[in-house]
Amino acid sequence: MLTEREVLSTLNMLRNEHLDVRTVTLGISLFDCASHSFDVFAYRVRSKIARYAEKLVATCEEVGDRYGIPVVNKRISVSPIGVVGASFSRDEMVRACQVLDEAAKKAGVDFLGGFGALVEKGMTPGERNLIDALPEALATTDRICSSINVASSRAGINMDAVALMGQRILDTAEATRERDGIGCAKLVVFANIPQDVPFMAGAYLGVGEPDVVINVGVSGPGVVRKAIDRAMQNGSAPTLGAVAEVIKRTAYKVTRVGEIIGEDVARRLGVPFGVADLSLAPTPAVGDSVGEIFQSVGLSSIGAPGSTAVLAMLNDAVKKGGAFASSHVGGLSGAFIPVSEDSSIEAATRSGALSLEKLEAMTSVCSVGLDMIAIPGDTPAATISGIIADEMAIGMINSKTTAVRVIPVPGKGVGEKAAFGGLLGEADIIPVPGGDASAFIRLGGRIPAPIHSLKN
């Protein structure tokens, strides 16, 4: 139970510290929409999404008004279309993406995730067609996000899929050249992707999930930073152990808020509540930054020596607080470090304090990976594939989720700026490591799973 003092503290979070429910995501299974006839599939998809999502936005606003806590984003996640549309051609996959986009717009949601595939051990013809469709599909839609899982700790790394995704990321950037390659901001490559992520671009509804479910994503990096600042000023956090306790307690309160909102939305819609995902997901707004937390604990900026240790402490404390606050913590639940979406992280990359190599090192302890990083448009596909392979290896070996969302900006080079707008923010283009990975990538095949995958 929250004490009176903690209730007042939570109210202060709302007024001054950017506390909100970052997303309520309605998961909808589309497995019962599958058909060899594209027209039948399209009809079933439109009907089912309309039936369950019709009142989603209005309900989120009603609940937000009731509690005085804004629900910033309303989203939908669906079953992986690589499975649902297993019989579709490349062109039909493009059309399927457009059908989903139309349904998302009709429902009034910000994004719809699930136009993706799970190919960590191999690739079906339908999944290959979906991946080949990505450039056109993401260029001709506005609200669709795609996640491709190419590795897991149980299966290893599908290097054929890694090689293919390096090229498709370049193709997607070129297809959205006039908008600085924004299509790649809606495309993420994963290892060990969870089935219940409410955050984009990775959200999809997994095979073991209910037919319809509400998952909620609560953020609050500004809340955590202010809590640390107060504790440092009043002397209640004289050591890093005490700082971790402050983060844990703050995460507990934030998670409780999110679960209350999510359960109320689910009850009103008549669907089950799934998980609360407490991920410190920043926005470009000043005061809503994960990067600023690093300064609050004594670093000159994120990227300085000690940054990986701080991120490890932050990620662990967030998970501990969230796990105590909810019986249904899921998704990713930790700290994100998306470069363009965080003003402090973006400033650190612009000043040179934070490089791609340091970002990769930090992903060994964060909840996602290399996220929203603008790179030169002339970066070779093999280099992008090599970056993906390195990140997948971190996830595979450490049995954790990792991901890559890089944006090769067409026609631009190091030091120039890419602007994506809104929540996606903007970023200076940073250099990629030198060297040639093309012969390695051409070998293909599958990197075997580590020995600790044999858990049975």
Side-chain angles (χ1 to χ4, degrees):
M1 296 293 291
L2 291 175
T3 66
E4 182 178 347
R5 183 174 180 179
E6 287 173 320
V7 170
L8 293 174
S9 173
T10 303
L11 292 174
N12 187 58
M13 292 177 187
L14 291 170
R15 288 194 297 266
N16 303 316
E17 300 170 12
H18 300 277
L19 177 62
D20 54 49
V21 173
R22 191 56 48 88
T23 180
V24 169
T25 301
L26 175 65
I28 303 175
S29 173
L30 299 185
F31 288 122
D32 56 349
C33 299
S35 174
H36 288 286
S37 166
F38 183 85
D39 290 340
V40 171
F41 162 81
Y43 172 78
R44 290 173 176 173
V45 167
R46 290 189 183 102
S47 299
K48 189 166 187 180
I49 292 177
R51 182 165 73 253
Y52 286 108
E54 178 184 14
K55 298 180 180 179
L56 174 64
V57 172
T59 301
C60 289
E61 291 174 351
E62 288 172 7
V63 173
D65 289 343
R66 178 188 178 192
Y67 292 99
I69 301 172
V71 178
V72 178
N73 296 289
K74 299 87 175 173
R75 297 165 173 169
I76 295 171
S77 63
V78 298
S79 311
I81 299 301
V83 178
V84 178
S87 63
F88 291 166
S89 67
R90 176 206 171 277
D91 290 344
E92 286 174 325
M93 284 295 185
V94 173
R95 291 171 59 197
C97 190
Q98 293 166 347
V99 167
L100 292 170
D101 194 50
E102 292 164 7
K105 290 176 180 177
K106 185 174 181 181
V109 297
D110 304 283
F111 287 109
L112 184 150
F115 187 74
L118 309 173
V119 295
E120 59 268 22
K121 202 170 184 179
M123 198 181 310
T124 66
E127 289 165 334
R128 173 63 189 252
N129 288 335
L130 182 143
I131 292 173
D132 288 343
L134 285 170
E136 183 179 352
L138 295 179
T140 57
T141 57
D142 298 316
R143 307 189 188 196
I144 302 303
C145 291
S146 177
S147 54
I148 310 296
N149 195 77
V150 302
S152 75
S153 297
R154 294 301 296 267
I157 305 174
N158 183 348
M159 289 301 294
D160 293 327
V162 168
L164 183 59
M165 287 309 302
Q167 185 59 56
R168 290 296 168 265
I169 287 171
L170 273 183
D171 296 340
T172 301
E174 185 60 34
T176 51
R177 166 181 282 267
E178 291 76 17
R179 293 178 287 167
D180 282 345
I182 195 172
C184 295
K186 300 182 289 180
L187 172 60
V188 58
V189 184
F190 267 96
N192 294 319
I193 187 171
Q195 298 191 69
D196 53 8
V197 183
F199 286 103
M200 299 294 171
Y204 84 105
L205 190 69
V207 175
E209 296 292 306
D211 187 49
V212 187
V213 65
I214 285 288
N215 294 319
V216 62
V218 185
S219 189
V223 174
V224 171
R225 183 180 65 85
K226 287 289 183 68
I228 294 171
D229 288 345
R230 282 194 301 271
M232 299 289 273
Q233 289 167 7
N234 64 28
S236 61
T239 68
L240 288 173
V243 170
E245 186 67 19
V246 170
I247 297 169
K248 186 174 70 174
R249 290 177 178 272
T250 305
Y252 167 79
K253 287 186 280 187
V254 171
T255 304
R256 288 298 300 145
V257 168
E259 183 154 301
I260 289 169
I261 295 291
E263 287 181 341
D264 199 350
V265 170
R267 180 183 58 79
R268 292 173 184 236
L269 291 176
V271 303
F273 175 73
V275 301
D277 180 338
L278 174 64
S279 290
L280 297 185
T283 70
V286 175
D288 198 25
S289 164
V290 170
E292 291 175 357
I293 295 172
F294 291 72
Q295 296 169 299
S296 293
V297 295
L299 296 183
S300 57
S301 74
I302 184 172
S307 294
T308 305
V310 170
L311 185 58
M313 176 185 71
L314 176 63
N315 209 47
D316 179 67
V318 165
K319 290 177 185 291
K320 286 174 178 174
F324 186 65
S326 170
S327 299
H328 303 287
V329 173
L332 294 163
S333 291
F336 292 2
I337 47 173
V339 174
S340 75
E341 296 177 3
D342 187 305
S343 58
S344 179
I345 299 177
E346 193 277 326
T349 59
R350 187 171 63 249
S351 70
L354 189 57
S355 66
L356 187 62
E357 293 88 342
K358 182 61 176 177
L359 282 163
E360 181 184 298
M362 294 172 69
T363 64
S364 64
V365 297
C366 81
S367 283
V368 186
L370 298 172
D371 200 12
M372 288 302 293
I373 301 171
I375 61 175
D378 61 358
T379 303
T383 298
I384 297 173
S385 294
I387 292 170
I388 293 171
D390 287 342
E391 193 61 33
M392 300 302 99
I394 291 173
M396 176 185 71
I397 294 296
N398 292 289
S399 297
K400 69 183 294 295
T401 300
T402 53
V404 174
R405 186 164 49 149
V406 295
I407 303 142
V409 184
K412 292 187 178 181
V414 174
E416 296 184 81
K417 187 175 290 293
F420 309 114
L423 179 65
L424 300 175
E426 62 181 28
D428 274 30
I429 297 167
I430 63 174
V432 299
D436 182 6
S438 56
F440 165 67
I441 297 301
R442 280 198 302 270
L443 288 173
R446 183 154 56 97
I447 293 178
I451 188 66
H452 64 241
S453 68
L454 302 176
K455 294 182 179 180
N456 291 345

